[in-house]
Amino acid sequence: MKKLKAKEVLELMISVLLRYLEEMKEFQDIDSEQFEYGERVAYVECLEYVQLWERSKEYGLDFDIEKKYPL
């Protein structure tokens, strides 16, 4: 696996986590509701930490994450 710079890793994480959260908006399975909620919490928390990065707005995190993806 190719080694990436920190900026590239953060860029990849932002992209993947946002995609997962968007996919979860469409997925409704009553039997896995608790598991899905735990996933959503983890993804939102990760994005909030990444948002502390000084360049996060340049990479698409220029919004209130919990407003867009409420817990």
Side-chain angles (χ1 to χ4, degrees):
M1 181 182 286
K2 178 185 169 192
K3 295 289 183 179
L4 302 175
K5 295 180 180 182
K7 177 185 80 87
E8 295 169 319
V9 172
L10 289 169
E11 203 174 350
L12 178 62
M13 284 179 58
I14 290 168
S15 171
V16 169
L17 292 171
L18 288 175
R19 185 177 74 236
Y20 289 169
L21 284 167
E22 285 299 319
E23 288 173 359
M24 292 179 88
K25 282 176 147 179
E26 300 170 10
F27 181 74
Q28 296 296 325
D29 181 2
I30 298 298
D31 293 332
S32 66
E33 188 175 315
Q34 284 186 318
F35 181 77
E36 181 183 329
Y37 178 74
E39 275 186 303
R40 198 166 63 240
V41 168
Y43 297 153
V44 166
E45 282 184 359
C46 287
L47 284 173
E48 287 175 333
Y49 285 121
V50 174
Q51 200 170 43
L52 298 173
W53 177 38
E54 62 192 352
R55 297 182 64 191
S56 65
K57 288 183 180 182
E58 296 172 40
Y59 294 90
L61 291 181
D62 56 348
F63 59 92
D64 185 326
I65 295 165
E66 283 197 45
K67 281 187 180 176
K68 186 168 182 176
Y69 304 105
L71 299 177

